[in-house]
Amino acid sequence: MKKDFIYLAKLQDYYRDHRVLPSYRTMTEVLGLASKSAVHALIARLIDEGFVSKTPDRRIAPSDRFFERPLAQSAVRAGMPSFVEDSVSDSMAVDHYLIDNPTHSLLVPVQGDSMINAGIHDGDIAIIDTMLSYKAGDIVIADIAGEVTLKTLVRDEGLWALKPENPDYPLIQPKDEWRVVGVLVGLMRKYR
Amino acid sequence: MKKDFIYLAKLQDYYRDHRVLPSYRTMTEVLGLASKSAVHALIARLIDEGFVSKTPDRRIAPSDRFFERPLAQSAVRAGMPSFVEDSVSDSMAVDHYLIDNPTHSLLVPVQGDSMINAGIHDGDIAIIDTMLSYKAGDIVIADIAGEVTLKTLVRDEGLWALKPENPDYPLIQPKDEWRVVGVLVGLMRKYR
DNA sequence: TTTCTTATAGAACGATTGTTCTTATTGTTA
DNA sequence: TAACAATAAGAACAATCGTTCTATAAGAAA
């Protein structure tokens, strides 16, 4: 129903402000309904349409569609990117987009231009997952005798080697003890 | 306390999976505690340290610090960015880092390789501020006769022009009506 | 060791939760 | 118009909530 989207918008606003969905009783206030059973029915509809879901312990949680916004596709078609009004949940989406495993994630500032041809610049922040298994071709953070460096992991004559993405730098064939600290899973950069 | 960070990590993982914090009873299971009062005390501590907060209707919500990730110091002394450091190593929230003005921000997927030499790749997500004033040298999203494009804004013979950062593409000197939609303030990219 | 502090367990409490039911209202279709 | 479906109100319910208390266990400091 059309009115449901108005309710949904109010819930999105509430979620943006509090990062939690309110209880049914509070929803009656937030949504302007007088009864919990009306809220109950609404939530049932929203669950049906995939906007919210229930956790194992019966809590109401936003699901993927809850965060959906008219974004890229409409941007291309309409010719104009639609503006982001509901921003915090969008910035939360940023966190969600970049970080899969909060517990295993590590942010490492990039130094130097040894990876410039991979589009990784000095000052960028690399998002590293420390629990992911690595394979040849991955960009990884390696710890070589206490020195930490970001390079592409490759096989070289049957051994692991670390390849800079910049012809000015040599291939590194670690001799000392070394290990892969984590795998690059994301990158962020700030302008201005 | 040191153990609190382990508990926090488990809550972060739960939140990642469900987008809600569980009830105290469920927390006992998630955290491996036997009593709700232990959870109660833990939450009180986490509130104290700013990781979680309470909503008006007494629900537990994550707050800013909840989303912070450990940030490795640029000059890594010990040689290794240990991320389960008990002492509070530097940390930051990715959404706060990337988005200054949520209300004015817009996320636009990058298409094509016309900005490759600026380290902006196909598939990257550009973070645009639509309220910032622009000047020559800024990378901007421009709307040219309904077509949206990301380019470097330059002066060319006294007029604004849009320069791709890729020699294969020509300088754009807009003749039709056009306007700057916003200025590039951030970039994010996902690997794997 | 002993003392002191902090963390956890366990039980009990009233308050609040989400659910379910019936009844009224609203909107839509024939 | 009448008939039907969808939505909302209102009351009642057991289940679960978060809180609070005391008691025990674990650590840290002296």
Side-chain angles (χ1 to χ4, degrees):
Chain A
M1 208 247 181
K2 194 186 255 179
K3 226 175 168 190
D4 280 4
F5 288 97
I6 299 172
Y7 293 143
L8 178 61
K10 289 183 179 175
L11 290 180
Q12 287 170 331
D13 283 346
Y14 188 96
Y15 188 88
R16 175 200 53 198
D17 292 340
H18 298 99
R19 294 205 191 91
V20 193
L21 258 13
S23 70
Y24 283 16
R25 202 197 57 76
T26 306
M27 280 193 201
T28 61
E29 296 170 13
V30 172
L31 304 178
L33 289 168
S35 72
K36 286 197 291 178
S37 57
V39 172
H40 182 79
L42 169 68
I43 295 296
R45 272 174 270 142
L46 291 180
I47 289 175
D48 232 40
E49 291 160 29
F51 289 106
V52 299
S53 61
K54 294 224 169 182
T55 59
D57 57 343
R58 304 223 224 101
R59 305 216 145 183
I60 298 149
S63 42
D64 286 345
R65 285 196 71 189
F66 189 85
F67 298 100
E68 254 179 28
R69 281 185 219 295
L71 195 62
Q73 287 87 350
S74 66
V76 178
R77 266 178 223 153
M80 242 274 295
S82 57
F83 290 81
V84 181
E85 293 159 11
D86 207 351
S87 40
V88 173
S89 42
D90 263 314
S91 77
M92 297 304 300
V94 167
D95 189 271
H96 240 84
Y97 175 74
L98 283 176
I99 306 216
D100 289 329
N101 295 305
T103 317
H104 310 146
S105 292
L106 175 66
L107 307 181
V108 181
V110 174
Q111 291 180 337
D113 58 352
S114 68
M115 294 297 281
I116 196 93
N117 285 349
I120 301 171
H121 293 199
D122 186 71
D124 290 358
I125 306 259
I127 296 150
I128 305 296
D129 192 310
T130 58
M131 298 289 273
L132 235 44
S133 62
Y134 51 86
K135 59 183 190 305
D138 287 345
I139 299 174
V140 301
I141 291 268
D143 171 19
I144 312 173
E147 196 119 344
V148 178
T149 181
L150 184 73
K151 296 287 180 295
T152 303
L153 190 68
V154 294
R155 294 295 279 185
D156 178 64
E157 296 174 4
L159 293 172
W160 292 115
L162 297 165
K163 182 162 80 75
E165 299 291 347
N166 182 337
D168 296 344
Y169 291 76
L171 184 74
I172 300 171
Q173 295 153 305
K175 288 174 179 54
D176 301 324
E177 194 158 349
W178 72 290
R179 67 183 197 92
V180 171
V181 175
V183 180
L184 180 71
V185 292
L187 186 83
M188 56 186 188
R189 180 185 305 156
K190 195 160 184 168
Y191 293 86
R192 304 185 57 160
Chain B
M1 206 244 183
K2 193 188 257 177
K3 228 175 167 189
D4 281 4
F5 287 97
I6 298 170
Y7 292 144
L8 178 61
K10 290 183 178 174
L11 291 180
Q12 288 169 329
D13 283 344
Y14 187 97
Y15 188 89
R16 172 204 58 196
D17 291 340
H18 298 100
R19 294 210 188 85
V20 193
L21 259 12
S23 71
Y24 282 16
R25 203 196 57 76
T26 306
M27 280 192 202
T28 61
E29 296 169 13
V30 172
L31 304 178
L33 289 168
S35 72
K36 286 197 292 177
S37 57
V39 172
H40 182 79
L42 169 66
I43 295 297
R45 272 174 271 142
L46 292 180
I47 289 175
D48 233 39
E49 291 160 30
F51 289 105
V52 299
S53 60
K54 294 224 169 181
T55 59
D57 56 344
R58 302 221 227 100
R59 305 216 145 183
I60 298 149
S63 42
D64 287 345
R65 287 196 69 190
F66 190 85
F67 299 99
E68 285 180 356
R69 318 289 170 213
L71 177 67
Q73 270 76 9
S74 43
V76 187
R77 225 178 280 165
M80 231 272 296
S82 71
F83 74 108
V84 209
E85 197 114 7
D86 42 347
S87 65
V88 190
S89 63
D90 221 2
S91 60
M92 67 185 218
V94 311
D95 51 311
H96 281 162
Y97 175 73
L98 282 176
I99 303 199
D100 288 330
N101 296 307
T103 321
H104 313 145
S105 292
L106 177 66
L107 307 180
V108 182
V110 174
Q111 293 177 344
D113 59 351
S114 69
M115 295 297 281
I116 196 95
N117 285 350
I120 300 171
H121 293 199
D122 186 72
D124 290 357
I125 304 246
I127 294 143
I128 305 296
D129 192 312
T130 58
M131 298 288 273
L132 235 44
S133 62
Y134 51 87
K135 58 181 192 306
D138 286 345
I139 299 174
V140 301
I141 291 268
D143 171 19
I144 311 173
E147 196 118 343
V148 179
T149 182
L150 184 73
K151 298 286 180 295
T152 302
L153 190 68
V154 294
R155 294 295 279 185
D156 179 64
E157 297 173 4
L159 293 171
W160 291 115
L162 296 165
K163 182 163 80 75
E165 299 292 346
N166 182 336
D168 297 343
Y169 290 76
L171 183 76
I172 299 170
Q173 294 153 306
K175 288 176 177 55
D176 301 324
E177 193 160 348
W178 73 289
R179 66 185 195 88
V180 172
V181 175
V183 180
L184 180 71
V185 292
L187 187 83
M188 56 185 187
R189 178 185 307 156
K190 192 159 184 169
Y191 294 85
R192 301 181 57 147

